Amino acid sequence: MLLEPQASHADDPVDTLVGRREELAVLQAAIAVPPSLALVEGEAGIGKSRLVRELLAAPPVAGRRTLVGQCEQLQEPLPLSPLLDAFRQVGSTLAGAEVLNPVLGALAPLVPEIAAQLPQPPPALADQGAERHRVFRAAVALLDELSPLVLVLEDVHWADTVTFDFLAFLAAHLPPCLTVILTARTETGRLPIREALARAPSGAARIVGLSPLNRPEVAQLASRILHSAPSPEVADRLYERTGGIPFVVEEVLRTLMEGSVTRAIPARPEALDDLAVPAVLRDVIVQRLLTLDDDARQILNSAAVLGLVTDDRLLAEVTERGAGEIARSLASAQAVGLLHEEGGHSCFRHALAQQVVYESVPAAERRWLHLRIARALESGVGTSTAVKLAHHYRLAGRHQEFVVHAEAAAEAALAHGNDATAARFLLEALGAEGVPQTDRVRLALKLGRAAVDGLAHAEALPIVEGLLVTEQLPAAVRGELRFAHGRLLRQSGDARAGYLEIDSAIEDLAGEPALLGRALAVLAAPETVTDRHMCEHVARCDEAAAAALRSGDRSVDVAVRITRAGLMLEQGQPESWPLIDDLLGGDDLRTSFRERVRACLNWAQAALHVGRLDRAEALLAEARRVSEQADYLRLAEVVDLVAAAVDHAAGRWDGLIDRVRRMGGADATFGAATLDSRLLHGSLLAAIGPAEEAAARFSEVIAVAERVGAVWPLIAARTAMARLLLTMDDVDGATDHARAAVADVRAKGNWVWGAAPVVCLVEALTARGPGNEAAELVDEFAAGLDGTDAPRAQAALLTTRGALASAHDRPDEAEALLGSARRVLMVAGLRYDEAQAAERLGQLRSERGEVRDGLDLEAALRLYGAMAASRDIARICRSMRQFGVPIPYPWRGGRRSLGQTLSPKEHRVAALAAAGKTNQEIATELFLSRRTVESHVSSALRKLGCGSRKDLAAMLLSVDE
């Protein structure tokens, strides 16, 4: 997902200090009881100055005089420069003081900015030491005059020896109301004044050592900078790249945001790996690198090519240096903050430091070092793995060796269930120069298997397609490659093309029964492709079972049985449940995590299609339980999608639209699930509003589903569009879409899927007047449902028969049928469907003028209200007012809290829009921008559940009542 930062930039100050609560408390305690000394130390960028700023801004210090001096990194440091820098800030504080210590005059020549407020300079002393002592006494006296005071001296690691001597003197002569806070870097070594600070008469100085932020603190800092929380994966990668150093975190985020066209933070952490090192950070690291001598720099260069963690034996082998020289060089690098100790090894301080040093090595030397490291690893020096060897041979430019080890690394990744890593290595191997045709085919076959589950569809598709077009392949190889190609097309969302490609592979796979069985099992799945009747899917399933038996491969048999259970379930056949229970209770799926999760998710979606919400929730729960063990990357999006669909059916809509909106975003990686997420988003908008946005989403899904031949989103999207148009009184448009959806159902031969389309078409047809089409359709629908177990279809049949009875003036029969339909949906737990059924029943009873007419409408209103379905609430409130049914709080009108109601500004804009004024006319009248008016109109339409501007007048009247 994209985490969009709000209207601020990464260089804005973070409003709250992150991860330094204990350290801040120590400094606050020091200030509370003067005289006191505190030393804040840590590596560069760790946040020393930021901590001090937080301290000085806190209420206990905010009213106290504060002087801040800064040490500068100069070749010839100026004596006492940070102290004199602080004294220049005194201003007119001393003006008019009654008594000034005469010794203060010794400071007048050193601080001309305040010389006029000081006594006359005393005569110069011949002894330089005595003169310096007098200046020290004068400085302490001035600090005493200015007290109560907090003196901050920053970066004292750059201080000159005179300043260090003064600090030792000050520690021994602290004025009673003075607090001194020093900041210093630790990588420069132990400060010369540490012993003096420890022996101060006022008590040992408080030492506040700052360490890097931990993982949660890095995530918190990123959230504060971006005003939006990064995903856990991005936060983890940010921590790994920066080592938890706050300055580095801030610079990385600044660079990331400045370099992004969309100013968006990526959902996938890999984007951070390709990020250029921030210029400021690069300069700091290069400066430290240049402080090393040539030998240490050469050894550090080799360490950077080796990786984040150094290996002394391997470094010695590659550089041909002795162990002592290696140790001294690494120690020097650690002293300047480029390395640190971790787990008994010298490691680069963070990944960005390693990257800067690596990039400073000339390209030719890098290639040579990579080759030396690879050869050393192969000879037994250090810990060798296929991944390491592939990495070093690739960067050494040795393509043949790289391909060998990349393939081995892919095999190892597949063995551990890491398809994404396997696909990455195989893609890199196929992209290498000079790979023979036989090797390319072998690698492509492996890539096809790995890419389906490793989310590398876009990268793998052109490679597999190219081999199929350009190479003369044996039949079995061509068949397997086509099967892989078809699966990749399906997973990327191109259902029809994928189906046809797998279909074309069947003949070539005749001699490979295991692969043939799997390919036929894919073709047996009915829910992803149009233009194929259920009879054909059943036949394919039977052929798959025969191929599985011929192969003797039990895993193929299990795959076919999973498909058969899903095929039966999609048709509403009661025999599907014993088959599913048998598979879940057996050993085959108990040990095969991936197959179990995949099966549970497919069955859960089928259970939703037929209206078995109870089974869908149980299957989803089982999929969730096993998914962490499966380590199956592409399942994550599918689990989220199925969970959202289950929550939608169950009426658990709180926060659902935001979840669904993110699923169909630019970061979606599983194309086959994208249409379903967009359909679900449109369905929520149809109930919540605005209607125009819902219609646009349905039109988009219909267009794409028609193009790619995806049957289930197509039928559902056409039905949803028809239902939306009915609520907007567009009966002709609704009829056309519903009729097209019913035609798709008829062509597929699965009337269980026709529940919603048939109801919608019958309601549209009966709204247009008497005719035979609706009755004939209901008869056809009833025949297609014979012997099925599908609550949605059962309720739909009762609903359509009730609609026909009502149209033919048989109200008692209609009421009984609609009441039965509502009870079926209530028992099934399909809350939104139940609300619609209650609304239909309430409309019928209200039209008859029954005593209990309002109870059904009120029940529907409460169900819609629990889901915050604003458009539905608005519609049913209109009906209740029409029939004189009391509307309960909080829907009856009056002054309500904001939320789904209009703000005063929105109300004024909506009233003008309802009066027929254009957005520009409203903007001129209310002194608003046109964009603001457009936003208010859109918000009013959504909140009031209006289909268009023409509905605003009636809705505003009902709200104001």
Side-chain angles (χ1 to χ4, degrees), residues 142-202:
L142 181 55
L143 293 172
D144 193 17
E145 287 282 350
L146 297 171
S147 293
L149 173 69
V150 178
L151 174 66
V152 178
L153 299 182
E154 293 264 30
D155 294 328
V156 296
H157 52 276
W158 284 328
D160 62 290
T161 55
V162 176
T163 301
F164 279 131
D165 289 343
F166 169 74
L167 291 175
F169 180 85
L170 177 63
H173 301 84
L174 271 180
C177 295
L178 175 67
T179 296
V180 180
I181 298 175
L182 312 174
T183 70
R185 292 186 186 175
T186 51
E187 62 263 29
T188 58
R190 187 178 177 86
L191 292 177
I193 61 164
R194 283 289 291 268
E195 291 186 8
L197 296 179
R199 298 195 309 268
S202 59

Side-chain angles (χ1 to χ4, degrees), residues 901-917:
T901 61
L902 301 185
S903 69
K905 182 69 71 176
E906 287 172 338
H907 192 284
R908 291 187 65 193
V909 170
L912 292 172
K917 290 185 179 290

Side-chain angles (χ1 to χ4, degrees), residues 369-503:
L369 284 169
H370 278 298
L371 181 59
R372 298 250 325 159
I373 292 169
R375 294 276 171 78
L377 287 170
E378 282 192 311
S379 69
V381 179
T383 304
S384 174
T385 64
V387 173
K388 286 184 180 180
L389 290 169
H391 168 75
H392 289 295
Y393 274 124
R394 179 175 67 84
L395 294 175
R398 304 300 289 259
H399 303 296
Q400 185 174 352
E401 294 95 330
F402 161 66
V403 170
V404 170
H405 294 292
E407 186 173 4
E411 292 287 354
L414 285 171
H416 288 86
N418 194 337
D419 300 293
T421 299
R424 178 171 58 82
F425 277 112
L426 292 167
L427 282 167
E428 290 176 351
L430 282 162
E433 297 177 7
V435 181
Q437 188 257 4
T438 54
D439 292 343
R440 287 179 61 78
V441 172
R442 185 184 69 255
L443 292 169
L445 288 173
K446 291 181 179 180
L447 174 63
R449 299 168 198 148
V452 170
D453 295 335
L455 301 177
H457 315 130
E459 297 89 345
L461 269 170
I463 294 174
V464 177
E465 287 173 354
L467 285 171
L468 285 169
V469 171
T470 62
E471 305 292 345
Q472 294 294 321
L473 304 172
V477 173
R478 183 175 62 245
E480 184 175 359
L481 206 55
R482 276 187 165 173
F483 180 29
H485 185 216
R487 294 183 71 201
L488 288 171
L489 286 168
R490 281 166 48 88
Q491 302 292 19
S492 63
D494 202 339
R496 182 186 293 111
Y499 187 97
L500 294 175
E501 184 70 351
I502 296 173
D503 196 28

